[in-house]
Amino acid sequence: MRYYFQKHYPVIATLLFLTVVLAIACRQVLAHTGGHFCYPLDDTFIHMAIAKNFALHGVWGINAQEFSAASSSPLYTLILATCFKVGINSIWMPFYINVCFAFLLVYMTDRLLQRFSLSAPVRCITLLALVILVPVPVMVASGMEHMLHAFLAMWMLYLSVPFLQPDNTTRTQVLLLSLVSGLAILARFESLFLLAGVVVAGIYNRRWQQTGVVLVLSLVPLIIFGYISVQHGGYFLPNSVLLKASKLAGGGSSLMNSIQEILIYKLLYGNNTMVNIFTNRYYPEGSSSLSGTTVVRLLLIIPALILVLRPNADNVNTIGKVKQLACIPLVNTFLHMALAAVGWLFRYEAYLVAMDLTVVAILLYYFVLQLRHAARTYSLLEKAVGAFLLLFLCAPLPFRALGAFHNLPAAAGNIYEQQFQMGTFLHSSYEHTAIAANDVGAVSYLSNNKILDLWGLGNNEVAAGKLHGQYSPEFLQRFSEKEKVKIAVVYDTWFDSKLLEQWKKVASWKITNNVICGGDEVFFYAVDPAEATSLYNKLAAYKPLLPPNVTVTYYPIQQ
């Protein structure tokens, strides 16, 4: 028993710490939501809506009537659907699933650290740093797929170690790595970047056959999902992925703007700070200064440690493996920063931070051993300069974590006061009605209406309109008329006034201290003019049920 605790106390201590912090985070969330647990992102409810419809109606979409690939994480949605299928239907369900994957992430990270012989105290410090800096509690409380993704990515990294040497691997190792890689890609498509890093490592070690097998088999789940999606009238990739990547299309001018964004704003600065010096019209979607700065610093720290780490006669093979291991998440981080998004409650880069912190800990461990065995001594000035550089490079990490912990309760409060109330209102006042919206998570999960996503994530027709350059006020009006939409619940700032002027504005709900919603004020429109009076009366009847921080404004509905 004593030996077991000595060997595993880093994991035990970290899980206890994580449990305590999660309890504190939940208490803070409940304090901002009047005791009603809510997630800090509307996207969580998108997963839950699709999972519910797939489990109960066999339809993959936010509506029980039509297919739409709105989920960017098919694997996570399938896990939720399995829970619905066996009768587990609770708003807490995504939270508890995330707790399980967070625990597995801690365990798998420790396995990787042990594989490179890091001491127990160092492993404990690394695991605690991972929990705080990812930050794991915020990702768990988000109810999204990011803990699943981080766990599978770490497992991929662990399984890739046998590929870091010229010797052949067993068939079981190749197949297991292929399986986990395929699942990681279905968890989030950014795992393709991590697969690229594994392939580079395999090619470097001339593991042609095994690398080819891993590459082909890893893509099989993605191909199956894409085939099913196309057969049901969707696209090969989810709408959310395609719409975010659509700006890479559009001719030479658009392509040059995208290349400029990648090379200068993302890889050089990590954010759009420099852009706003020149113009306030250009704001790259998904960019976040603190998230981008953190990732760019990691892109500096890992190569620097790889360059300064030197092997000796006793550890040539080990140092070679360590350097190659570090290059896999380095390739991943570079490709993610260039081609994908960061930010939005610091979640998109969470798996990057987890992997990069782990390889940095391994690199630092062997670099410290190298310094201890070095013949020369360092002056006070050299130590001070080294400490300053280390502090400068690592400074964004704790500030990013502090920002995430600070925003979590307020973000949950925002979603509860806005999207959750929208869904509850539509459930109580409108059932089996065609409703237009631009935030479709809570309204589709909590009500039984046909939700028409004017932004395109949850409706293939609108997504096609955006992708083919047909998206316009006229297009949305025709779409609404064809679907016999009764009312719309939208942000005014998201749509052209030419569209909104054709509808009757009835009321608005405005929240305070908005940190996560697409707008602090959501507007209710009667798309069908005959519905204006009824909508007004139903909103007035629901007003006493709104949280006290929501400000309601009514607009004249008579001509």
Side-chain angles (χ1 to χ4, degrees):
M1 184 70 180
R2 182 177 179 182
Y3 170 77
Y4 178 88
F5 180 79
Q6 288 176 342
K7 182 180 179 181
H8 298 286
Y9 85 81
V11 171
I12 297 171
T14 303
L15 294 182
L16 288 174
F17 173 76
L18 174 57
T19 302
V20 171
V21 177
L22 280 173
I24 296 172
C26 286
R27 184 173 181 178
Q28 291 178 328
V29 166
L30 292 172
H32 280 73
T33 58
H36 303 276
F37 184 77
C38 189
Y39 295 102
L41 294 160
D42 186 61
D43 296 26
T44 309
F45 295 102
I46 293 180
H47 287 302
M48 296 177 74
I50 298 174
K52 180 180 71 173
N53 289 327
F54 188 64
L56 302 182
H57 308 288
V59 177
W60 188 271
I62 61 170
N63 296 306
Q65 304 88 354
E66 59 181 345
F67 174 92
S68 64
S71 170
S72 58
S73 179
L75 178 61
Y76 183 64
T77 306
L78 281 172
I79 293 172
L80 292 176
T82 302
C83 294
F84 276 109
K85 193 68 176 178
V86 298
I88 303 174
N89 183 4
S90 168
I91 195 171
W92 286 90
M93 178 176 61
F95 177 86
Y96 291 129
I97 291 173
N98 271 268
V99 170
C100 294
F101 286 117
F103 281 20
L104 288 172
L105 171 64
V106 171
Y107 170 76
M108 188 53 62
T109 304
D110 188 63
R111 288 286 303 274
L112 181 59
L113 297 174
Q114 286 188 61
R115 192 155 194 169
F116 286 90
S117 304
L118 271 67
S119 64
V122 173
R123 284 160 37 215
C124 189
I125 293 171
T126 302
L127 295 176
L128 290 172
L130 181 135
V131 167
I132 295 170
L133 298 177
V134 166
V136 171
V138 176
M139 296 304 107
V140 170
S142 75
M144 293 289 287
E145 72 274 9
H146 302 289
M147 281 297 92
L148 167 66
H149 184 208
F151 161 64
L152 291 173
M154 194 68 72
W155 197 3
M156 271 185 72
L157 196 60
Y158 174 80
L159 294 173
S160 68
V161 173
F163 279 72
L164 307 180
Q165 55 193 16
D167 302 330
N168 285 330
T169 53
T170 66
R171 180 182 299 178
T172 301
Q173 289 174 320
V174 172
L175 292 177
L176 184 57
L177 176 57
S178 303
L179 173 62
V180 175
S181 299
L183 293 176
I185 292 169
L186 285 186
R188 277 199 72 86
F189 293 98
E190 292 93 332
S191 297
L192 288 166
F193 306 146
L194 183 57
L195 178 61
V198 174
V199 170
V200 168
I203 293 174
Y204 177 80
N205 287 288
R206 299 183 178 181
R207 309 287 293 281
W208 313 109
Q209 184 177 359
Q210 294 91 340
T211 301
V213 171
V214 170
L215 177 60
V216 172
L217 293 182
S218 297
L219 297 177
V220 169
L222 172 62
I223 294 171
I224 293 174
F225 172 82
Y227 175 78
I228 295 173
S229 179
V230 170
Q231 290 298 306
H232 285 79
Y235 291 95
F236 187 82
L237 293 175
N239 295 345
S240 57
V241 176
L242 289 174
L243 293 175
K244 289 175 183 177
S246 62
K247 58 184 176 181
L248 294 175
S253 175
S254 178
L255 181 61
M256 288 304 298
N257 286 336
S258 296
I259 292 174
Q260 173 182 268
E261 178 187 338
I262 290 170
L263 295 180
I264 299 178
Y265 307 134
K266 286 189 171 183
L267 293 176
L268 189 58
Y269 292 102
N271 54 66
N272 64 316
T273 303
M274 293 301 296
V275 181
N276 288 332
I277 292 177
F278 304 107
T279 174
N280 58 7
R281 293 179 300 170
Y282 186 84
Y283 191 94
E285 182 181 354
S287 69
S288 170
S289 295
L290 192 50
S291 291
T293 302
T294 301
V295 176
V296 168
R297 295 290 173 86
L298 290 170
L299 281 174
L300 295 174
I301 294 171
I302 295 175
L305 288 172
I306 291 174
L307 291 174
V308 299
L309 193 59
R310 293 283 186 268
N312 55 46
D314 298 327
N315 63 5
V316 174
N317 291 334
T318 301
I319 296 300
K321 278 188 181 182
V322 169
K323 290 187 174 185
Q324 287 189 56
L325 179 79
C327 286
I328 294 175
L330 180 62
V331 170
N332 185 170
T333 304
F334 181 87
L335 292 174
H336 182 109
M337 197 60 195
L339 302 174
V342 295
W344 210 246
L345 201 62
F346 309 99
R347 61 192 178 99
Y348 290 131
E349 74 277 5
Y351 81 110
L352 292 178
V353 175
M355 287 193 300
D356 290 355
L357 281 175
T358 303
V359 298
V360 165
I362 297 172
L363 288 165
L364 277 175
Y365 179 77
Y366 283 97
F367 180 62
V368 171
L369 292 180
Q370 175 181 308
L371 292 179
R372 288 178 178 176
H373 290 89
R376 65 162 295 185
T377 57
Y378 295 89
S379 66
L380 181 61
L381 178 61
E382 288 174 320
K383 292 179 180 178
V385 170
F388 172 78
L389 290 175
L390 184 63
L391 178 64
F392 173 78
L393 289 172
C394 297
L397 280 163
F399 282 108
R400 174 184 167 278
L402 284 171
F405 281 111
H406 174 74
N407 287 338
L408 171 62
N414 293 159
I415 298 299
Y416 175 73
E417 292 176 352
Q418 192 178 92
Q419 277 82 359
F420 192 89
Q421 298 304 320
M422 289 156 50
T424 305
F425 167 72
L426 293 177
H427 173 69
S428 63
S429 303
Y430 286 90
E431 280 289 89
H432 308 293
T433 305
I435 308 292
N438 53 247
D439 265 5
V440 297
V443 296
S444 57
Y445 172 68
L446 294 171
S447 72
N448 293 316
N449 297 295
K450 184 177 182 180
I451 305 298
L452 304 174
D453 184 3
L454 298 177
W455 206 242
L457 299 183
N459 286 97
N460 291 334
E461 187 173 342
V462 178
K466 277 192 168 185
L467 294 171
H468 298 140
Q470 301 169 347
Y471 189 80
S472 66
E474 294 75 20
F475 171 87
L476 291 177
Q477 180 62 21
R478 289 195 304 270
F479 175 69
S480 301
E481 291 174 353
K482 185 187 75 171
E483 298 294 339
K484 297 181 172 54
V485 172
K486 291 291 185 181
I487 68 171
V489 189
V490 298
Y491 298 125
D492 273 11
T493 54
W494 285 31
F495 299 96
D496 195 306
S497 59
K498 292 180 181 178
L499 172 68
L500 302 179
E501 287 170 358
Q502 300 181 65
W503 301 342
K504 178 67 67 175
K505 184 184 290 188
V506 175
S508 69
W509 292 348
K510 187 172 184 178
I511 61 174
T512 59
N513 188 31
N514 179 33
V515 300
I516 201 69
C517 295
D520 61 355
E521 191 169 16
V522 63
F523 293 84
F524 292 81
Y525 286 89
V527 177
D528 179 356
E531 189 64 27
T533 301
S534 176
L535 175 59
Y536 182 95
N537 293 334
K538 290 175 180 178
L539 286 168
Y542 188 82
K543 181 180 178 181
L545 302 178
L546 285 172
N549 291 331
V550 179
T551 301
V552 180
T553 302
Y554 297 103
Y555 299 90
I557 59 175
Q558 301 298 327
Q559 295 291 345

